[in-house]
Each structure stands twice: as C-alpha cells, then as structure tokens.
Amino acid sequence: MDYDVRSNPGLLKLDLYCRGLRLDDSCFVERDGGRKILRTRAGLGSGLELILPHGLWTNAPVSEPFAKNSPYILHQEDGAYWIRRDDGERISPVELSPRPGWYDRETSTGRPMTRIGTLQGTYLGIYQAKVCEYWTEPVKSNCKFCSVGLNLGVDDAPDQKSISDVMEVVWAAVRESGITYVDFNTGHHSDHGYLDILEPYIREIKKDTGLLIGVQTPPHPDLSRYDRLKQMGVNRVSFCFEIFDRDRFVEVCPGKHREYGLDRYLEAVDYCAKLRKPGSFEPWVSNGEIIAGLEAPESSMAAIDWITEHGGIPTVCVFRPLLGTDYADLAPPKTEEMIPVFRRLYEACMDRDLPIGIAPNIHVSLVLLPEECRWFADKPRRYALKEMKRQAMSKLYSAHFHREREKLLQRAGAAVTG
Ligand code: SF4
C-alpha cells in the first residue's frame, strides 16, 4: 500500500476523517460555489463537502474541536483549492462539491428545500418522519454518537415531509444535480410504522423517476416487509447496528439494545441478503452499517467478516465526535488503526464477489465506499481480474439504468438536464 497521502487519495480521505481540516482565511467556500456546512443525518456528517483526486467525495470535519489541531489546512490559491500541510507543503488539489441552485430555494409550500433533503456526495438523503423516539422518551436512550435529536428546527429537520414537497426536491435534484439515488433514513418508532410511512414516497419516486432507492430504518419485526420493498423496486436496505461487540453495543446504543437487540439487526441483514439470488445482477443489496472507532478494530473487522459471509455489504463509518452529542469529548480514531479495517472491507467484498461499486454516479461523502478501499490493499494485483470484471459490470449496469430511465422520463415528458 502507498502510505503517502499526496499520492493515495483513499488514505487522504481516511486521514481527513480522523484528523479533520482547518480552513485558511483565503477560503470563501460559499462564494466559490461550495456547499455550506449543514448538520445532517444520523450523526456522522457535519463537515465540508469536497472532492479529492480520483473522484473521491468526502465530508471533512471542520467544526469539531479536534479539527483545530489538524495538520491539514485548506487554501484557496488563484481560484483553485489546495490542501496543504501546516509546514506549507502542498498535499493535494481538491474541488469544492458544487452547491446546487435548489439549495437556496423553497418548495411551493414555502419550506427551504434543504429542510426536505440534502446531497450527501452525489445522492439525495432524506431523513423522513418524526424524530427518533429514543430522543423523546422521558429518559433518553439515544445512541451516544448521534446528533439527530439536536437537529430539531435546523438543517434537514427530522419531521414529517409531504409527498409533494419531497417530489419537488427530488425533481430539482434530478434536473439540476443529476442524482441517480435517493436514500431514506428514519430512527426508531415504537409502533414500527417507519416502513408504512416511507412506502408511499418510494412508490411515487419509483413510478415518476425510476431512481434507485435505499431505505435505512430499524429492522422491522415482520421480515416479509422486505420482500415487499424489493418488489416495490427498492434497491438497498441498510441496518445500522453500529457496534459488533455485544457489551459495547449495549453501552453505545441503549435504545437499540432494549428495543431490538443486536441479533435482530443481524437477522435482518442476513434475511435481506438472501433475497438476492447468488450471482444474479439484481439491483438489490443488504447493508450492515457499523461505526469504526467506537470498538476495537478487531471487532469492526469481525463485523465486516460476519456481514460479508452472510452476503451483505458493510457500510463502515468513521466515528466523529460531533458537537453537542454524548460523545463530543471522545477522540476520533487514529488513522493507522483504521487502515486494516478498511483494507478488510475491500478484501472481504472482493473475495466474496459481492456487487460493490456497480450503481451509477454514486459518490458518498460520509463513508469510504468498499471499492474506494482498494487504495488500502497490500496486494492490489491479486484483485486485478476481479476489478476488471467489477468495472465492466458497472458500465453495463449504468448503461441499462440510463436507458430504462430515459424511456420512463420520455413517457412522463420530463426533461433531465443534470
Ligand atoms: S436509532 Fe440511534 S442513530 Fe438512529 S436516529 Fe435514533 S438515536 Fe440516532
């Protein structure tokens, strides 16, 4: 593996998650067309959206106290943005992730569009429905790293969003940002109504736009609901159990432990992974999501092994001690401890021929995608043939996706310029 962040953008993406970024006075992010810093989603994204070399999108921590000690400083030099080390050495050119025009607009009911959904990299993320109930119980049992309950009334607020408002934002993001994927996320509802709430939105988006759709909720007690979601055209389901070490799971996620338990999450990952026929090209994946840095790296790697052995694809976030959360005072993980975790992520997915990096135009800023973790492989040549196959599949699927969508949009008489 190349351990030089100047030539390894995967390592730079990881190092920025772990060490943060400082902004030099020369930076005028919004004036220069970048996205303002929004506090969004279930607690892991708070930073500046950037594009690193080789098309790696990222969300670099800038607000948290640990970022003030970062060795990395963002400079603007004659209109171009560079990350420099604090000794002045140029590390890497970067681009600001473009701020879409719709970020400054309202829906026809007068709601700021960013209160309905925001771009995470190149996809549209929507935190749907009321706030997670772990935050509203008399004695809160929220996950300790999470900031969702702090977001009430600010960006991407977790409240009920009407279908027409959501569709307006989806169309704006299709036309102006060229999105291919919408991701819905909810927290815990004691009546398990989260899928009932999401299904009408899913049907509408699928019918009108043909976009890929993902759903991230707690594991529904009736697993046959996932068969139904698949039939409806959902492409991804994601179960965030966060922590694989059982004792640590209880500590970090007391609400999830009380209401579901780790085994329910694992059962859902396994059940949904088996809904995809082995070796098929069905656009359906089951994700198990964990946070590296809140348990031993060995435990994160055991989680990766478990998920991939069961046919799921891991989503591995890097713990970020967000301001205002219960874990605000913890330190982020060390880069060198995270490298083996992300190396395992790539190798486990490749060894098991899992369909990673197939969907078109999905760049994720909040995590290192499994295929991006090839930058950590010690023997990348071992995977050269599989990489060629993976990239060919990606091209084929992308062509198919765009062909099908074009037909659908022509039928609907909708012009897409994104
Ligand atoms: S389940 Fe946990 S991570 Fe998800 S919104 Fe609720 S408190 Fe946050």
Side-chain angles (χ1 to χ4, degrees), residues 42 127 132 134-135 142-143 145-146 148 187-188 242 256:
Y127 191 99
C132 171
Y134 299 143
W135 285 89
N142 59 283
C143 306
F145 56 83
C146 175
V148 159
H188 166 66
E242 328 290 6
K256 290 185 181 191

PDB file of all heavy atoms in Angstrom, residues 42 127 132 134-135 142-143 145-146 148 187-188 242 256, ligand 1:
ATOM      1  N   ALA A  42     -27.825  11.009  10.615  1.00  0.00           N
ATOM      2  CA  ALA A  42     -27.784  10.423  11.949  1.00  0.00           C
ATOM      3  C   ALA A  42     -26.407  10.506  12.585  1.00  0.00           C
ATOM      4  O   ALA A  42     -25.845   9.530  13.033  1.00  0.00           O
ATOM      5  CB  ALA A  42     -28.243   8.980  11.874  1.00  0.00           C
ATOM      6  N   TYR A 127     -34.081  12.537   5.641  1.00  0.00           N
ATOM      7  CA  TYR A 127     -34.422  12.000   6.967  1.00  0.00           C
ATOM      8  C   TYR A 127     -35.915  12.200   7.121  1.00  0.00           C
ATOM      9  O   TYR A 127     -36.392  13.316   7.305  1.00  0.00           O
ATOM     10  CB  TYR A 127     -33.647  12.716   8.072  1.00  0.00           C
ATOM     11  CG  TYR A 127     -33.779  11.993   9.402  1.00  0.00           C
ATOM     12  CD1 TYR A 127     -32.764  11.145   9.845  1.00  0.00           C
ATOM     13  CD2 TYR A 127     -34.919  12.115  10.183  1.00  0.00           C
ATOM     14  CE1 TYR A 127     -32.890  10.447  11.034  1.00  0.00           C
ATOM     15  CE2 TYR A 127     -35.048  11.427  11.363  1.00  0.00           C
ATOM     16  CZ  TYR A 127     -34.036  10.597  11.795  1.00  0.00           C
ATOM     17  OH  TYR A 127     -34.171   9.904  12.974  1.00  0.00           O
ATOM     18  N   CYS A 132     -36.460  10.447  15.876  1.00  0.00           N
ATOM     19  CA  CYS A 132     -36.279   9.133  16.508  1.00  0.00           C
ATOM     20  C   CYS A 132     -36.765   9.188  17.964  1.00  0.00           C
ATOM     21  O   CYS A 132     -36.400  10.085  18.724  1.00  0.00           O
ATOM     22  CB  CYS A 132     -34.785   8.822  16.453  1.00  0.00           C
ATOM     23  SG  CYS A 132     -34.324   7.384  17.390  1.00  0.00           S
ATOM     24  N   TYR A 134     -36.037   7.551  20.544  1.00  0.00           N
ATOM     25  CA  TYR A 134     -35.077   7.424  21.656  1.00  0.00           C
ATOM     26  C   TYR A 134     -34.735   8.795  22.244  1.00  0.00           C
ATOM     27  O   TYR A 134     -34.272   8.901  23.370  1.00  0.00           O
ATOM     28  CB  TYR A 134     -33.773   6.768  21.181  1.00  0.00           C
ATOM     29  CG  TYR A 134     -33.937   5.366  20.638  1.00  0.00           C
ATOM     30  CD1 TYR A 134     -33.172   4.936  19.553  1.00  0.00           C
ATOM     31  CD2 TYR A 134     -34.822   4.463  21.211  1.00  0.00           C
ATOM     32  CE1 TYR A 134     -33.293   3.653  19.054  1.00  0.00           C
ATOM     33  CE2 TYR A 134     -34.951   3.177  20.707  1.00  0.00           C
ATOM     34  CZ  TYR A 134     -34.192   2.783  19.626  1.00  0.00           C
ATOM     35  OH  TYR A 134     -34.310   1.517  19.130  1.00  0.00           O
ATOM     36  N   TRP A 135     -34.962   9.829  21.418  1.00  0.00           N
ATOM     37  CA  TRP A 135     -34.646  11.186  21.871  1.00  0.00           C
ATOM     38  C   TRP A 135     -35.782  11.818  22.659  1.00  0.00           C
ATOM     39  O   TRP A 135     -35.567  12.834  23.330  1.00  0.00           O
ATOM     40  CB  TRP A 135     -34.343  12.082  20.670  1.00  0.00           C
ATOM     41  CG  TRP A 135     -33.000  11.834  20.058  1.00  0.00           C
ATOM     42  CD1 TRP A 135     -32.706  10.946  19.082  1.00  0.00           C
ATOM     43  CD2 TRP A 135     -31.771  12.473  20.404  1.00  0.00           C
ATOM     44  NE1 TRP A 135     -31.368  10.991  18.786  1.00  0.00           N
ATOM     45  CE2 TRP A 135     -30.776  11.925  19.585  1.00  0.00           C
ATOM     46  CE3 TRP A 135     -31.410  13.465  21.326  1.00  0.00           C
ATOM     47  CZ2 TRP A 135     -29.442  12.329  19.648  1.00  0.00           C
ATOM     48  CZ3 TRP A 135     -30.083  13.876  21.386  1.00  0.00           C
ATOM     49  CH2 TRP A 135     -29.123  13.317  20.570  1.00  0.00           C
ATOM     50  N   ASN A 142     -30.981   7.512  23.346  1.00  0.00           N
ATOM     51  CA  ASN A 142     -30.391   7.675  22.010  1.00  0.00           C
ATOM     52  C   ASN A 142     -28.998   7.060  21.934  1.00  0.00           C
ATOM     53  O   ASN A 142     -28.321   6.895  22.962  1.00  0.00           O
ATOM     54  CB  ASN A 142     -30.292   9.171  21.678  1.00  0.00           C
ATOM     55  CG  ASN A 142     -29.452   9.925  22.675  1.00  0.00           C
ATOM     56  OD1 ASN A 142     -29.926  10.207  23.780  1.00  0.00           O
ATOM     57  ND2 ASN A 142     -28.225  10.250  22.320  1.00  0.00           N
ATOM     58  N   CYS A 143     -28.587   6.748  20.727  1.00  0.00           N
ATOM     59  CA  CYS A 143     -27.221   6.281  20.507  1.00  0.00           C
ATOM     60  C   CYS A 143     -26.275   7.435  20.864  1.00  0.00           C
ATOM     61  O   CYS A 143     -26.535   8.591  20.511  1.00  0.00           O
ATOM     62  CB  CYS A 143     -27.036   5.860  19.053  1.00  0.00           C
ATOM     63  SG  CYS A 143     -28.262   4.645  18.515  1.00  0.00           S
ATOM     64  N   PHE A 145     -23.444   8.555  19.951  1.00  0.00           N
ATOM     65  CA  PHE A 145     -22.699   9.343  18.949  1.00  0.00           C
ATOM     66  C   PHE A 145     -23.630  10.230  18.135  1.00  0.00           C
ATOM     67  O   PHE A 145     -23.192  11.071  17.368  1.00  0.00           O
ATOM     68  CB  PHE A 145     -21.983   8.393  17.961  1.00  0.00           C
ATOM     69  CG  PHE A 145     -22.957   7.453  17.311  1.00  0.00           C
ATOM     70  CD1 PHE A 145     -23.681   7.839  16.210  1.00  0.00           C
ATOM     71  CD2 PHE A 145     -23.182   6.196  17.853  1.00  0.00           C
ATOM     72  CE1 PHE A 145     -24.624   6.985  15.642  1.00  0.00           C
ATOM     73  CE2 PHE A 145     -24.116   5.335  17.289  1.00  0.00           C
ATOM     74  CZ  PHE A 145     -24.838   5.741  16.186  1.00  0.00           C
ATOM     75  N   CYS A 146     -24.948  10.035  18.301  1.00  0.00           N
ATOM     76  CA  CYS A 146     -25.924  10.562  17.341  1.00  0.00           C
ATOM     77  C   CYS A 146     -26.306  12.012  17.644  1.00  0.00           C
ATOM     78  O   CYS A 146     -26.387  12.418  18.801  1.00  0.00           O
ATOM     79  CB  CYS A 146     -27.162   9.669  17.380  1.00  0.00           C
ATOM     80  SG  CYS A 146     -28.508  10.273  16.355  1.00  0.00           S
ATOM     81  N   VAL A 148     -29.128  13.385  15.856  1.00  0.00           N
ATOM     82  CA  VAL A 148     -30.432  13.620  15.231  1.00  0.00           C
ATOM     83  C   VAL A 148     -31.358  14.463  16.107  1.00  0.00           C
ATOM     84  O   VAL A 148     -32.010  15.391  15.630  1.00  0.00           O
ATOM     85  CB  VAL A 148     -31.088  12.262  14.870  1.00  0.00           C
ATOM     86  CG1 VAL A 148     -32.586  12.404  14.700  1.00  0.00           C
ATOM     87  CG2 VAL A 148     -30.472  11.738  13.586  1.00  0.00           C
ATOM     88  N   GLY A 187     -35.348   7.011  12.250  1.00  0.00           N
ATOM     89  CA  GLY A 187     -34.929   6.442  13.528  1.00  0.00           C
ATOM     90  C   GLY A 187     -35.990   5.461  14.019  1.00  0.00           C
ATOM     91  O   GLY A 187     -36.784   4.935  13.232  1.00  0.00           O
ATOM     92  N   HIS A 188     -36.007   5.268  15.324  1.00  0.00           N
ATOM     93  CA  HIS A 188     -36.924   4.296  15.936  1.00  0.00           C
ATOM     94  C   HIS A 188     -38.307   4.898  16.154  1.00  0.00           C
ATOM     95  O   HIS A 188     -38.439   6.023  16.619  1.00  0.00           O
ATOM     96  CB  HIS A 188     -36.335   3.858  17.281  1.00  0.00           C
ATOM     97  CG  HIS A 188     -37.314   3.142  18.150  1.00  0.00           C
ATOM     98  ND1 HIS A 188     -37.837   1.916  17.804  1.00  0.00           N
ATOM     99  CD2 HIS A 188     -37.891   3.484  19.333  1.00  0.00           C
ATOM    100  CE1 HIS A 188     -38.688   1.529  18.745  1.00  0.00           C
ATOM    101  NE2 HIS A 188     -38.730   2.465  19.676  1.00  0.00           N
ATOM    102  N   GLU A 242     -24.170  -0.574  14.149  1.00  0.00           N
ATOM    103  CA  GLU A 242     -23.075   0.292  14.611  1.00  0.00           C
ATOM    104  C   GLU A 242     -21.906  -0.450  15.256  1.00  0.00           C
ATOM    105  O   GLU A 242     -20.758  -0.149  14.987  1.00  0.00           O
ATOM    106  CB  GLU A 242     -23.553   1.371  15.631  1.00  0.00           C
ATOM    107  CG  GLU A 242     -24.962   1.889  15.446  1.00  0.00           C
ATOM    108  CD  GLU A 242     -25.166   2.753  14.212  1.00  0.00           C
ATOM    109  OE1 GLU A 242     -24.227   2.861  13.413  1.00  0.00           O
ATOM    110  OE2 GLU A 242     -26.278   3.288  14.041  1.00  0.00           O
ATOM    111  N   LYS A 256     -31.395   0.871  20.996  1.00  0.00           N
ATOM    112  CA  LYS A 256     -31.403  -0.241  20.037  1.00  0.00           C
ATOM    113  C   LYS A 256     -31.310  -1.571  20.774  1.00  0.00           C
ATOM    114  O   LYS A 256     -31.945  -2.553  20.389  1.00  0.00           O
ATOM    115  CB  LYS A 256     -30.220  -0.112  19.063  1.00  0.00           C
ATOM    116  CG  LYS A 256     -30.360   1.034  18.086  1.00  0.00           C
ATOM    117  CD  LYS A 256     -29.234   1.066  17.073  1.00  0.00           C
ATOM    118  CE  LYS A 256     -29.430   2.256  16.144  1.00  0.00           C
ATOM    119  NZ  LYS A 256     -28.591   2.277  14.979  1.00  0.00           N
TER     120      LYS A 256
HETATM  121  S1  SF4 B   1     -31.556   4.996  16.196  1.00  0.00           S
HETATM  122 FE1  SF4 B   1     -29.757   5.872  17.178  1.00  0.00          FE
HETATM  123  S2  SF4 B   1     -28.522   6.663  15.441  1.00  0.00           S
HETATM  124 FE2  SF4 B   1     -30.587   6.331  14.671  1.00  0.00          FE
HETATM  125  S3  SF4 B   1     -31.603   8.317  14.926  1.00  0.00           S
HETATM  126 FE3  SF4 B   1     -32.091   7.107  16.765  1.00  0.00          FE
HETATM  127  S4  SF4 B   1     -30.527   7.683  18.250  1.00  0.00           S
HETATM  128 FE4  SF4 B   1     -29.793   8.350  16.238  1.00  0.00          FE
END
